[in-house]
Amino acid sequence: MLAFPAVFRSFVPCGILFAGFLAGSGCQSESPPPASPASNTSPGNSSKSSNSGDPSRKRPEAKPLQTLVRFRNAAAAAQVDFTYRDGQEAGHFSILESLGGGAAQVDFDLDGLNDIYFPGGGQFTPDFRPAPHPAALFQNRGELTFRNLTDLARLSIPRSYNHGVATGDFDADGFPDLLITGYGGLTLFHNRGDGTYDEVPPSTSGLDDTLWSSSAGWADFNGDGALDLFVAHYVDWSPQNDPQCPGPTPNEPREVCSPRRFKGLPDFLYFSNGDGTFRNVSVENGLRQPGSDDDGQDKSLGVVIADLDLDGDPDVYVGNDTVPNFLYLNDHGQLTEIGLKSGTALSERGTPDGSMGVDIADFNLDGRPDIWVANYERESIALYRQEKRPAKPGDVFFTHVSQMVGITNVGGLFVGWGTAFFDFDRDGDEDAIVSNGHVIRFPSNSEIEQLPLLLENLEGKRFQNVAPISGEYLAAKHRGRGLAVGDLNGDGRVDVIVSNVNDPVAVLVNESTDTNHWIGLKLVGRTSSRDAVGAWVRLTTPHGSQVHLLKGGSSYASTSDRTLHFGLKDAPQAESVEIHWPSGIVQTLEALRADQVITVVEPSAS
């Protein structure tokens, strides 16, 4: 992230696209010119306001960073031993190796404990064909102990060089299924409910996608009660389309190519037929199709699905690499792309970012969901604040507020991937985490291994990075990629799992010392799809109201636990909980005792 010098900070009205984009920021080695030292100043400070010219005045001393937040990497103690592999030992250094993998927290056996799944990546055959590397499922046995259940669960090796995992109960039998993305096609594993899975072949499921997929998300887009699927695709790389990109010196002859060397691939939307099979409705239901005039501007990496405009339909936000991001508003299954119009497609400079991880949350507690995007180095994490809804139905408008809320203060040396909002200190506002790591071999601006970011939300007004004082793992550098959040040990504090490239995964247990109360809600749809993606909840305590959304996708190539966790501060109960189901049913619960997880089943329509 980067607080750009004033010369780069000219105002661009949201939703207006320059006739020619600047060639800057992307998820690879082609970067804009170096930032000036002024980029590290705080918002509002400049050389004119500096005290350096007046010896009689002294700058106020910075307050020491303080937080109650602590995370401990318990992967080794919990026996979660796994590493994502990218195949770099073959010496090809292709763009395929740069994406890394995701992670999932999902209770696959319905015992009340979140289990863990990690895609495994891949390798190359001697004739330069991508091949899968095994993934891993770890069963939660309680008290932060796990066992590798991959073989016993009959989770065979995914059919492709694999990146992402999207969990969803596509056949509504109560047991969460797994969809694995990657190069060479999708892999769908059906949960049999007895601790094992069966692979559903594409010829049976209709998920005949053979493009290079990165992330995916489940949601019922057309309101028929069955889960549909959104699949994000990256670029048209292949072993036959593998250009040789030069390294910085003769001794370093090959670099990973930029995505600008490739054309983008179209994203896909699959509707459920209601019988466990799917049909591709991408064109007729509004997904943008790359054309010759834009050189294929669909280079998608991150997907998050939620009811962004709170109208009862799940919407889709897509993070694209080096090209404008997409925002699809949904109207009963018909999607309309309004990224430029809404102000969510570009950076605050009016240029595309290299976007990877994405999430949606109401960071400032105004009742309107906002959009969060982790971007490439020398770009800011983008926080798009949703403004008051315009009078015209179907419109939403956002303002890029990263500098305003202090996000740019962390600097511009990060390549952000997995990311999530969650209230890690249970104080009633949602904080954020970002996993960082470079994608090229010889970066000139920053290192390959990078520090994570842990951004504490200060009452919806500012964010501060407390990672350096929040635990050993967060204070160290990694080749981070996907991450997922959820409460692994049932103590009411939300934990994090992280996938790294060619390094062991992390299990970050939240051991924060706050004494705040909390409440968790598990939503089970009846008229709505069982997963109820697109539902949203307004919870009220004496401290005010919070809005949380039930999401599909999110982060990068990952799936977090769908339990909605609310921090209550010192409130011993939630005064009221208003649940807006995707079916249109509104359910109100009162006086819910704190410090428990409550399963709420959607009532029948009256």
Side-chain angles (χ1 to χ4, degrees), residues 472-537:
E472 184 177 349
Y473 180 90
L474 292 169
K477 297 176 181 180
H478 313 277
R479 290 187 66 189
R481 291 299 188 265
L483 62 80
V485 300
D487 184 0
L488 290 170
N489 56 355
D491 66 353
R493 293 181 172 87
V494 179
D495 312 301
V496 185
I497 60 173
V498 186
S499 176
N500 299 307
V501 177
N502 298 324
D503 280 318
V505 300
V507 177
L508 304 182
V509 178
N510 188 339
E511 297 180 340
S512 301
T513 57
D514 68 88
T515 58
N516 293 326
H517 293 294
W518 59 278
I519 199 165
L521 298 176
K522 291 181 180 288
L523 304 186
V524 180
R526 295 174 65 189
T527 304
S528 306
S529 69
R530 186 179 180 88
D531 283 11
V533 173
W536 59 277
V537 177

Side-chain angles (χ1 to χ4, degrees), residues 413-415 434-437 447-453 465 467-468 473-478:
L413 300 181
F414 302 102
V415 178
V434 186
S435 175
N436 301 301
E447 297 176 278
I448 294 175
E449 295 184 343
Q450 300 186 354
L451 295 167
L453 297 172
N465 180 28
Y473 180 90
L474 292 169
K477 297 176 181 180
H478 313 277

Side-chain angles (χ1 to χ4, degrees), residues 107-150:
D107 182 7
F108 90 97
D109 52 5
L110 303 188
D111 65 353
L113 300 171
N114 285 349
D115 308 299
I116 294 172
Y117 182 89
F118 290 106
Q123 53 202 340
F124 295 94
T125 64
D127 57 350
F128 192 31
R129 288 185 295 108
H133 186 272
L137 173 69
F138 292 91
Q139 183 188 40
N140 191 338
R141 305 178 70 182
E143 299 183 354
L144 289 175
T145 61
F146 293 79
R147 66 168 176 167
N148 191 325
L149 211 67
T150 312

